[in-house]
Amino acid sequence: MILKVCTSLLLLFLVNSVWTRTVRQVYDDLGPDHWSHYTSECPQECFCPPSFPNALYCDNKGLKEIPPIPARIWYLYLQNNQIETLSEKPFVNATYLRWINLNKNKITNGGIESGVLSKLKRLLYLFLEDNELEEVPAPLPVSLEQLRLARNKISRIPEGVFSHLENLTMLDLHQNSLLDSALQSDTFQGLNNLMQLNIAKNSLKKMPLSIPANTLQLFLDNNSIEVIPENYFSAIPKVTFLRLNYNKLSDDGIPPNGFNVSSILDLQLSHNQLTKIPPINAHLEHLHLDHNKIKNVNGTQICPVSIALEEDYGHYGNIPRLRYLRLDGNEIQPPIPLDIMICFRLLQAVVI
């Protein structure tokens, strides 16, 4: 224990030392004569921390407009204001922006000047959550890595809006007003490096079309999805985390091997209408099936390998990897069937 603590403290010290050295190098490069200049060019409505010269804090200031952004700024914080428009003028000198947080404002699509975002050539992270957007803004900078648009009023995704965003790894559209008709077969075309797609809390009745092939995390909670198409996950062979909680899935809506997918490690199907556990893959590690209509569990039937043959695999063999199983909120009565424990020998927690 002492060795682990010492190792952790040493690692923390080294990380802090590298960070401190990096920041100090920035100070040394700037020199003391530059500080008066930085102070004078800081917008009076905002805060420019001397210890973080590349950041500009204009959050929680009651702003209705964006002030002029100094050229040195990389990180811009504008959340929790009353901003309604995004125009080109404040960003004329801000050619090095990497990060913009505009969450919790009053921005509409009509308030975004044409081309203002695409001209931010180095922008990596754009946060526009909790605004009044009705469609995904376009055009967007090709440099983007994360786009967060949760809790708007988005019901439309313009054609080709993502076609050039090859660097985008995370797209968050949860809690909007998307219908199935908004997600066409080419909607996500161009997102070749997308790893996380969040379309939870919309109004989908079907699984979305043409999810990018490299997607690792797919979040579809709180929709009205009833059916998983046959071989749906063969088009996204890397999907690892799949969330379908709070939908309308029934036994008839799931193909015989719909979730028997070797890439899926975490499968969440809570708050649906299932009466039995669907077939799963031996690689699955976490399974959430709480608050369905399941009445009993038969370990022999749901075991991804034959219990009779499991002895042949040995301790380090290809035994089922399930570690967490949640079944509470169903009609199952304890105790846990013995064959569940025989099959899933790595189980660490069962909630029933």
Side-chain angles (χ1 to χ4, degrees):
M1 177 61 73
I2 295 176
L3 179 59
K4 289 183 179 179
V5 171
C6 291
T7 303
S8 300
L9 290 174
L10 177 59
L11 180 59
L12 182 61
F13 172 77
L14 291 174
V15 171
N16 288 336
S17 298
V18 171
W19 169 251
T20 303
R21 190 181 308 116
T22 303
V23 173
R24 285 177 178 171
Q25 285 173 351
V26 172
Y27 301 158
D28 294 341
D29 292 342
L30 295 175
D33 294 338
H34 289 77
W35 292 115
S36 59
H37 169 66
Y38 284 162
T39 303
S40 64
E41 71 171 359
C42 183
Q44 62 179 0
E45 310 96 325
C46 307
F47 173 56
C48 299
S51 59
F52 197 6
N54 296 117
L56 180 61
Y57 291 87
C58 307
D59 52 308
N60 297 286
K61 302 294 184 182
L63 299 180
K64 293 186 177 181
E65 296 181 350
I66 299 175
I69 310 303
R72 73 177 191 277
I73 298 304
W74 287 22
Y75 307 99
L76 177 59
Y77 299 89
L78 288 160
Q79 66 270 27
N80 293 298
N81 282 294
Q82 304 294 317
I83 297 169
E84 298 179 358
T85 60
L86 290 181
S87 61
E88 185 177 345
K89 186 177 179 180
F91 299 103
V92 169
N93 296 318
T95 57
Y96 289 94
L97 277 175
R98 264 64 166 179
W99 173 303
I100 300 179
N101 190 333
L102 278 159
N103 292 346
K104 295 187 177 179
N105 278 284
K106 297 185 177 181
I107 299 168
T108 62
N109 288 95
I112 302 177
E113 185 177 328
S114 179
V116 63
L117 294 172
S118 61
K119 291 178 181 177
L120 301 173
K121 303 296 186 181
R122 293 179 171 87
L123 193 64
L124 303 178
Y125 301 89
L126 177 58
F127 297 76
L128 278 166
E129 299 178 343
D130 296 284
N131 277 277
E132 298 180 13
L133 299 173
E134 295 184 351
E135 63 180 50
V136 175
L140 293 163
V142 298
S143 55
L144 268 189
E145 294 182 3
Q146 288 193 17
L147 178 59
R148 298 176 184 256
L149 298 169
R151 295 179 297 277
N152 276 275
K153 303 174 183 178
I154 296 173
S155 60
R156 181 174 176 271
I157 301 178
E159 184 177 355
V161 67
F162 302 128
S163 59
H164 300 295
L165 302 186
E166 293 188 359
N167 296 309
L168 200 71
T169 59
M170 197 274 274
L171 175 59
D172 191 345
L173 287 162
H174 90 268
Q175 200 166 333
N176 277 284
S177 303
L178 292 171
L179 300 170
D180 295 319
S181 58
L183 305 180
Q184 300 299 315
S185 59
D186 60 351
T187 295
F188 301 112
Q189 184 175 346
L191 299 179
N192 299 328
N193 290 298
L194 194 72
M195 291 189 287
Q196 184 187 109
L197 178 60
N198 191 341
I199 326 178
K201 294 188 177 181
N202 277 279
S203 300
L204 304 180
K205 293 183 179 180
K206 300 178 181 179
M207 295 291 285
L209 300 171
S210 300
I211 300 297
N214 286 318
T215 302
L216 298 176
Q217 301 177 343
L218 179 58
F219 303 148
L220 291 163
D221 313 77
N222 292 89
N223 281 284
S224 299
I225 297 171
E226 299 179 354
V227 176
I228 306 295
E230 189 84 33
N231 299 319
Y232 181 84
F233 299 105
S234 62
I236 42 176
K238 297 181 181 180
V239 64
T240 304
F241 299 92
L242 177 62
R243 292 197 332 219
L244 279 159
N245 303 320
Y246 292 95
N247 276 282
K248 296 182 179 180
L249 289 171
S250 64
D251 301 329
D252 294 336
I254 300 176
N257 285 297
F259 295 121
N260 187 1
V261 180
S262 61
S263 65
I264 299 177
L265 302 183
D266 191 301
L267 176 60
Q268 300 190 19
L269 298 169
S270 304
H271 294 271
N272 277 279
Q273 299 171 11
L274 302 175
T275 64
K276 58 184 179 181
I277 297 178
I280 59 174
N281 193 272
H283 291 88
L284 188 68
E285 296 183 2
H286 296 83
L287 178 59
H288 297 246
L289 285 165
D290 55 286
H291 297 90
N292 277 274
K293 299 179 180 180
I294 301 170
K295 294 183 179 180
N296 56 69
V297 182
N298 186 316
T300 303
Q301 292 179 355
I302 69 171
C303 191
V305 299
S306 171
I307 292 179
L309 298 176
E310 218 175 317
E311 294 292 340
D312 297 336
Y313 293 115
H315 183 69
Y316 296 102
N318 191 29
I319 64 174
R321 301 178 187 176
L322 194 68
R323 288 170 167 78
Y324 180 88
L325 175 61
R326 184 170 176 183
L327 291 166
D328 55 304
N330 284 282
E331 301 176 29
I332 303 169
Q333 299 297 322
I336 301 168
L338 180 60
D339 51 6
I340 291 285
M341 308 309 296
I342 295 175
C343 173
F344 301 108
R345 302 182 188 182
L346 301 180
L347 264 177
Q348 297 174 354
V350 180
V351 184
I352 193 169

